[in-house]
Amino acid sequence: WGLLLALLVTTLVLALHPMPKTKLETSTFTLAIYKYFTYRWVWTDDLAEGRMNGAEAWCAAAVPHGVLPVANWLAGITSNAFLGGKMVCGVASVVLYTPFLRYLFLFGDATSVSASVIKHETAQGNCFGIVADGIAGIFTGRSEVALKSRKGLAKLALQAGFPLIPIFCIGNTEVYDVCQDPCGILQTVSRVLRVSIFLFWGRFGPSPRRCNLYAMYGRMVVPQKTCEKPDQKAIDALHEELLHGIQSAFELHK
């Protein structure tokens, strides 16, 4: 019982202690991570036009998730280090209190992802990044994108008026392998509990595999008009434009 109590106390301390204020976007350690994964950040001419360079707030919709969306995480670090403005990463609330995993956010700002938070951050002029396929993206195959029926972001963009930037990340699903549940039980339980429950392995167990990672930015998707209650036709149209942008980003930069 003493060992169990010590383990519980240690876990609570690691989960709840205040995080240091220091950010490591341009540290030597960050450069080492770029090199370990041979990370590449690829974009269209929107960057040259200044639309991604802090001139306006936007929301990045990146896929696929994989076990750990390393390319997406590095894209947030890169944005804060080399672009104007501020990028905030949206994650599941539990990640902010998961021992060790929460230390990833020493490299940049992160907050729980919800419609109200995205609206607040973009209204403040901050850019926001999410992994658009969420929990479903953990359980998909290596080349699948579980986004076709997830239209909440398109609705939110029409309500708040912020542009969307489609991003396709190559390599996320190569960093770790996930144990596929043929019956979909783990995926269903994860969705109900809003906590990802799965088995995974990488290089020498929990260590991430060294592989090439690419974050490929597509052209900005801008809502033509905004309203508090957009109709389904407008939502579907913007969602299809986002899906096309993700596909185009892959085709343009592959």
Side-chain angles (χ1 to χ4, degrees):
W1 287 106
L3 180 60
L4 184 61
L5 179 61
L7 180 61
L8 177 61
V9 171
T10 301
T11 301
L12 289 174
V13 170
L14 291 173
L16 300 176
H17 74 82
M19 293 287 283
K21 299 297 184 181
T22 304
K23 298 302 178 184
L24 306 174
E25 293 100 330
T26 57
S27 68
T28 303
F29 183 61
T30 305
L31 296 177
I33 295 175
Y34 290 149
K35 293 180 180 179
Y36 179 82
F37 289 109
T38 317
Y39 174 69
R40 297 289 184 271
W41 193 62
V42 190
W43 59 86
T44 66
D45 59 357
D46 280 334
L47 183 66
E49 294 171 3
R51 303 199 67 179
M52 289 173 56
N53 209 15
E56 59 183 308
W58 41 266
C59 182
V63 295
H65 192 294
V67 171
L68 185 66
V70 181
N72 312 44
W73 171 63
L74 290 175
I77 298 173
T78 308
S79 296
N80 280 323
F82 302 110
L83 294 180
K86 177 183 176 182
M87 164 67 78
V88 179
C89 295
V91 299
S93 300
V94 68
V95 175
L96 299 174
Y97 301 99
T98 302
F100 303 113
L101 192 58
R102 66 196 297 247
Y103 296 134
L104 292 176
F105 306 112
L106 289 175
F107 297 83
D109 293 305
T111 185
S112 59
V113 60
S114 67
S116 59
V117 170
I118 295 174
K119 284 183 177 180
H120 172 76
E121 292 292 344
T122 52
Q124 296 295 314
N126 299 327
C127 300
F128 202 86
I130 67 169
V131 186
D133 49 354
I135 289 176
I138 298 174
F139 295 94
T140 58
R142 290 180 179 269
S143 60
E144 298 176 65
V145 175
L147 186 60
K148 291 186 178 180
S149 61
R150 302 172 68 91
K151 302 180 180 181
L153 187 59
K155 179 179 179 180
L156 193 60
L158 287 166
Q159 291 175 331
F162 54 77
L164 301 173
I165 294 184
I167 304 176
F168 190 90
C169 296
I170 290 180
N172 276 349
T173 53
E174 304 295 329
V175 176
Y176 290 106
D177 286 320
V178 62
C179 180
Q180 295 293 340
D181 173 14
C183 298
I185 296 174
L186 291 179
Q187 183 174 354
T188 301
V189 172
S190 297
R191 186 180 295 113
V192 171
L193 297 179
R194 303 182 67 84
V195 176
S196 303
I197 302 174
F198 55 90
L199 300 175
F200 70 95
W201 61 93
R203 185 184 188 184
F204 311 123
S207 300
R209 290 192 185 92
R210 186 177 187 182
C211 57
N212 294 337
L213 294 179
Y214 298 85
M216 302 183 294
Y217 283 56
R219 296 185 183 278
M220 189 176 282
V221 177
V222 182
Q224 297 302 312
K225 60 179 180 178
T226 61
C227 61
E228 186 58 34
K229 295 183 179 180
D231 58 44
Q232 193 60 47
K233 184 178 179 180
I235 295 172
D236 291 344
L238 189 64
H239 181 69
E240 285 300 319
E241 194 173 350
L242 177 61
L243 292 178
H244 177 73
I246 291 172
Q247 179 66 31
S248 298
F250 173 75
E251 295 295 337
L252 178 64
H253 300 305
K254 67 179 180 180

